[in-house]
Amino acid sequence: MIRSIRRLSFVVLLMFLALLANITYVQYFQAADVRARAGNSRVIFEEYSRQRGPILLGSTAIASSIPTNDQLKYLRQYSNGPLYAPATGYYSIVYGATGIERTENSVLSGSDDRFFVDRVQQLFAGRGVKGGAVRLTLNPAAQKAAYAGLAGRTGAVVAIDPRTGAILALASSPSFDPNVLSSHNPSAIRKAYDAYTADPKQPLLNRPLVMTLPPGSTFKLVTAAAALESGRYTSTTVVPGPAAIKLPNSTRELKNWTGSACGPNDKTTLQDALAVSCNTAFASIGMDLGQDALREQAEKFGFNSSFQVPLRAAQSRFPADLDPAQTAMAAIGQFDVTATALQMAMVGAGIGDNGQVMNPYLVSQTLSPELEVLSNAEPTSFSQAMSPANAAELLSMMVSVVDQGTGSNAKIPGVVVGGKTGTAQTSPGKPPHAWFVGVAPADVPGQAQVAVAVVLQNGGGAAEVSGNKLAAPIAKAVMEAVLGR
């Protein structure tokens, strides 16, 4: 009998030890995962019991929390919600958080370890615990110009400060209203979310960061960079520019968009080829350089890499294992080359900053509940994509695109602007995408204050699609806003 009791006691002890170990594992090692799990009502009510911190542009809150009289003590509100939705995201009791609301949740919710002393002081003082604030890099005038320029058409705009990598504009169209998804009415939230997800235009898609499309002729900037970096080309090098070329081992011909040669005797210079966006010239250059040189140059600008700004951006892609015909098409931004608007803005920014590509970022500061600075963004370099001399030469070539070539609609009186247009072919029966990459001012190498990329998916529904007609005016407006014009 005593032996049985001892055995039972030993079994019970083992069970208690196992229970203690499990509780310790869950509460210590899995605490973060449990707290972040969707539908964790305890965490939701805990976070809604304290005032969530604001998301700021300068001193202006574009997302803030106001007191309520219902079970959830605070309601999240967004001023100009659709305008800033790609950056702020939403904070929903049903679908969780997206955007900055998700990536900076520990600061905004007040759960960041750096707030421990502050939380204790607030409790002893009898004040409610508050979240900290997050200040963004966006330029309000540039953001408004970008969103207004898209005018409801399907597309994206990204503007970057070439010197730091700070994102000055992050616009997506069509957009959505985060106020609807952040209400305290679950049925209304689900109804709105279902409507957004059923919309074929995908308003919840963060197009500037995750929409990857063929960049078309804007990729000729990368091919031109590879040519200059090879040491075999300068802006005045004579290159072939016939009306059409037959692609190697293929029955297909590649033609210029004008249908004619790019210069007398089927020849032109590298600078003039960029100015008039000569397909045959850049296809020939691409085949001469080879796929490895093009890929290496593209990767120096950020292709085939992932970026967190802190929102995660999709990888832009330059494919592997290309044959000569595919290499020719890739050199003009077609075949399987794809890019985000962020990536093409980084290309322009790198050229405008003496060949140095900076890591892009969206958060400039995190602050305590009393708006004391906790951290400042520290700009970091991604790569030296080009030598300063070659970057200056390519920037000058971009100026010729705007002054004498296909990018005339990007001209700004009193400002030297560099640019590159693009019209990227898509699947048969669908209109091409309209692109523009711009840099300003472009008269002094390394002194550019803004690089911008604009893309209108399938031309934004326009009957006649060209980068100069559709995308360049938007880029111009954004550059003017950054420059205070």
Side-chain angles (χ1 to χ4, degrees):
M1 181 68 177
I2 294 175
R3 181 178 295 177
S4 298
I5 292 174
R6 285 177 177 172
R7 288 177 178 174
L8 180 61
S9 299
F10 182 71
V11 171
V12 171
L13 177 62
L14 288 177
M15 293 175 65
F16 271 112
L17 289 174
L19 178 62
L20 181 62
N22 184 65
I23 290 173
T24 302
Y25 179 76
V26 171
Q27 292 188 341
Y28 184 78
F29 293 103
Q30 288 190 317
D33 291 339
V34 172
R35 286 183 63 85
R37 193 170 296 166
N40 189 335
S41 59
R42 180 177 178 181
V43 173
I44 291 174
F45 284 118
E46 179 186 338
E47 289 194 353
Y48 275 91
S49 70
R50 64 173 71 116
Q51 187 171 10
R52 190 171 178 83
I55 299 175
L56 304 172
L57 291 188
S59 60
T60 302
I62 59 173
S64 57
S65 295
I66 62 170
T68 70
N69 294 319
D70 58 35
Q71 188 179 15
L72 301 176
K73 294 183 179 180
Y74 291 95
L75 173 67
R76 199 65 167 164
Q77 288 193 333
Y78 302 85
S79 59
N80 294 311
L83 174 64
Y84 295 111
T88 64
Y90 56 78
Y91 183 69
S92 171
I93 58 174
V94 178
Y95 298 108
T98 63
I100 290 297
E101 293 280 26
R102 180 183 64 82
T103 61
E104 302 301 311
N105 181 63
S106 64
V107 173
L108 295 169
S109 68
S111 61
D112 193 287
D113 291 341
R114 291 172 293 181
F115 297 165
F116 176 76
V117 173
D118 189 73
R119 288 196 297 269
V120 172
Q121 291 176 341
Q122 289 175 354
L123 287 173
F124 275 109
R127 303 192 307 269
V129 176
K130 296 169 59 178
V134 173
R135 181 169 284 132
L136 304 185
T137 59
L138 296 178
N139 178 310
Q143 183 73 10
K144 290 174 183 176
Y147 188 65
L150 290 171
R153 295 171 293 179
T154 304
V157 180
V158 175
I160 295 176
D161 184 336
R163 302 161 295 184
T164 63
I167 296 174
L168 306 177
L170 190 76
S172 184
S173 178
S175 188
F176 68 94
D177 187 357
N179 288 295
V180 179
L181 299 176
S182 302
S183 76
H184 289 179
N185 186 331
S187 63
I189 292 171
R190 291 188 180 94
K191 183 178 180 181
Y193 187 84
D194 289 344
Y196 282 139
T197 54
D199 189 336
K201 293 184 177 180
Q202 299 179 282
L204 294 179
L205 184 67
N206 198 331
R207 285 185 163 81
L209 299 181
V210 304
M211 182 175 71
T212 57
L213 299 171
S217 292
T218 58
F219 190 81
K220 290 171 184 172
L221 293 173
V222 179
T223 303
L228 295 173
E229 287 289 289
S230 74
R232 305 205 308 269
Y233 293 82
T234 69
S235 59
T236 58
T237 298
V238 175
V239 296
I245 59 172
K246 185 178 179 296
L247 296 175
N249 303 316
S250 170
T251 58
R252 183 178 174 184
E253 272 194 336
L254 174 65
K255 300 179 180 180
N256 292 321
W257 65 276
T258 60
S260 59
C262 300
N265 301 317
D266 291 345
K267 295 183 182 297
T268 185
T269 64
L270 179 59
Q271 175 167 312
D272 290 343
L274 189 72
V276 300
S277 200
C278 184
N279 287 337
T280 57
F282 278 92
S284 298
I285 292 168
M287 289 187 289
D288 176 48
L289 296 172
Q291 61 164 319
D292 291 340
L294 292 178
R295 186 179 305 103
E296 181 181 354
Q297 186 64 64
E299 290 179 348
K300 286 182 179 180
F301 280 114
F303 282 79
N304 299 333
S305 291
S306 296
F307 295 92
Q308 292 185 335
V309 301
L311 287 66
R312 181 177 290 277
Q315 274 195 19
S316 298
R317 182 171 180 259
F318 189 91
D321 301 323
L322 303 179
D323 63 30
Q326 293 166 344
T327 301
M329 296 302 293
I332 62 170
Q334 296 287 170
F335 185 55
D336 286 344
V337 179
T338 58
T340 62
L342 174 68
Q343 175 61 78
M344 295 315 299
M346 290 172 63
V347 171
I351 297 168
D353 189 38
N354 284 322
Q356 180 174 226
V357 180
M358 303 296 289
N359 283 302
Y361 64 94
L362 185 57
V363 174
S364 63
Q365 290 181 322
T366 58
L367 305 102
S368 74
E370 288 73 36
L371 300 185
E372 298 171 340
V373 176
L374 297 175
S375 66
N376 287 301
E378 296 183 3
T380 57
S381 174
F382 171 72
S383 77
Q384 186 70 39
M386 303 179 67
S387 71
N390 286 334
E393 189 167 10
L394 183 50
L395 184 62
S396 178
M397 291 165 61
M398 291 177 69
V399 172
S400 71
V401 173
V402 175
D403 286 352
Q404 297 111 29
T406 60
S408 58
N409 285 335
K411 290 180 180 179
I412 300 174
V415 178
V416 177
V417 177
K420 183 67 193 80
T421 53
T423 306
Q425 299 301 318
T426 61
S427 54
K430 288 190 176 181
H433 309 306
W435 283 88
F436 189 83
V437 174
V439 180
D443 51 337
V444 181
Q447 297 299 310
Q449 297 176 38
V450 57
V452 60
V454 177
V455 58
L456 288 166
Q457 188 176 6
N458 298 127
E464 181 184 344
V465 178
S466 80
N468 188 46
K469 179 180 179 181
L470 301 175
I474 302 174
K476 173 186 176 181
V478 173
M479 291 186 287
E480 286 179 321
V482 172
L483 299 175
R485 291 281 168 165

